[in-house]
């Protein structure tokens, strides 16, 4: 990824030098840097707000109830994970954070879930080392498709760039993420049926 970004920057500078537009390239780099810092500040505030709400939800027991409510769905999606395995807890917390639109907050739980799934596979030795298991692939698809009720990041970007109604994307986002999640789940189930 670093090589890709470095390559794109070198191509831009070379193109600017070839066409005599280095001052414009320099100005664009400075303007973009300033805009990135401003955007990061806005996103930090919004993320802090939603993370605070997540902490309140956790302390009040709401997140725990949501996590418990997801258990039957997770048992269906991940039938090979033992009932009391810690991976299920991390997967459930990751899903709750994603559903609430806190994709950044879900990353830590997602990494912990993958670590637990890796430990589970190393105990079973059902796949060669370095190979993703069916549970890992299902979790990754579920995490990427990410059903969201509140697309916090998109609302924040729209607000930052002066949208009249930043929350207008909520309805379409729910439909789009519901369809992508359903497609991901169907694909994973079909792959599991094909392997058995």
């Amino acid at each position: 990824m670093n090589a890709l970004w470095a390559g794109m920057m070198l191509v831009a500078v070379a193109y600017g030098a070839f066409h005599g537009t280095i001052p414009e390239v320099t100005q664009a780099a400075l303007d973009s840097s300033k805009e990135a810092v401003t955007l990061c500040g806005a996103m930090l505030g919004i993320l802090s707000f939603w993370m605070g709400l997540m902490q309140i939800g956790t302390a009040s027991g709401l997140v725990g109830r949501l996590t418990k409510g997801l258990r039957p769905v997770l048992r269906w999606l991940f039938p090979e994970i033992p009932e009391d395995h810690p991976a299920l807890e991390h997967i459930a917390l990751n899903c709750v954070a994603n559903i609430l639109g806190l994709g950044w907050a879900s990353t830590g739980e997602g990494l912990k879930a993958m670590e637990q799934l890796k430990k589970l596979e190393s105990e079973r030795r059902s796949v060669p080392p370095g190979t993703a298991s069916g549970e890992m692939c299902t979790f990754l698809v579920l995490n990427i498709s990410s059903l969201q009720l509140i697309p916090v990041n998109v609302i924040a970007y729209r607000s930052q760039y002066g949208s009249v109604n930043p929350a207008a994307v909520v309805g379409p986002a729910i439909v789009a993420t519901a369809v992508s999640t359903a497609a991901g789940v169907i694909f994973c189930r079909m792959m599991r049926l094909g392997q058995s």
Side-chain angles (χ1 to χ4, degrees), residues 31-127:
D31 291 344
S32 296
S33 299
K34 179 181 174 185
E35 188 174 330
V37 170
T38 304
L39 181 61
C40 285
M43 294 303 287
L44 181 62
I46 291 166
L47 181 63
S48 298
F49 172 74
W50 283 102
M51 290 293 294
L53 284 181
M54 185 76 162
Q55 290 298 321
I56 292 169
T58 301
S60 70
L62 176 64
V63 172
R65 285 193 293 274
L66 289 172
T67 300
K68 193 173 186 179
L70 280 177
R71 283 286 179 149
V73 175
L74 294 180
R75 294 297 312 139
W76 179 74
L77 285 172
F78 303 97
E80 295 179 23
I81 300 177
E83 178 72 36
D84 59 344
H85 199 274
L88 283 177
E89 184 74 20
H90 295 300
I91 291 170
L93 286 171
N94 177 274
C95 290
V96 167
N98 275 325
I99 288 169
L100 296 176
L102 301 171
W104 295 340
S106 69
T107 302
E109 292 300 328
L111 292 172
K112 290 176 186 174
M114 279 297 193
E115 286 174 6
Q116 291 297 327
L117 290 172
K118 184 177 178 182
K119 285 181 188 175
L120 182 63
E121 287 308 315
S122 66
E123 292 166 7
R124 291 184 188 166
R125 301 190 199 297
S126 58
V127 294

Side-chain angles (χ1 to χ4, degrees), residues 3-15:
L4 179 66
W5 282 109
M8 287 192 308
M9 286 189 282
L10 287 174
V11 167
V13 170
Y15 183 85

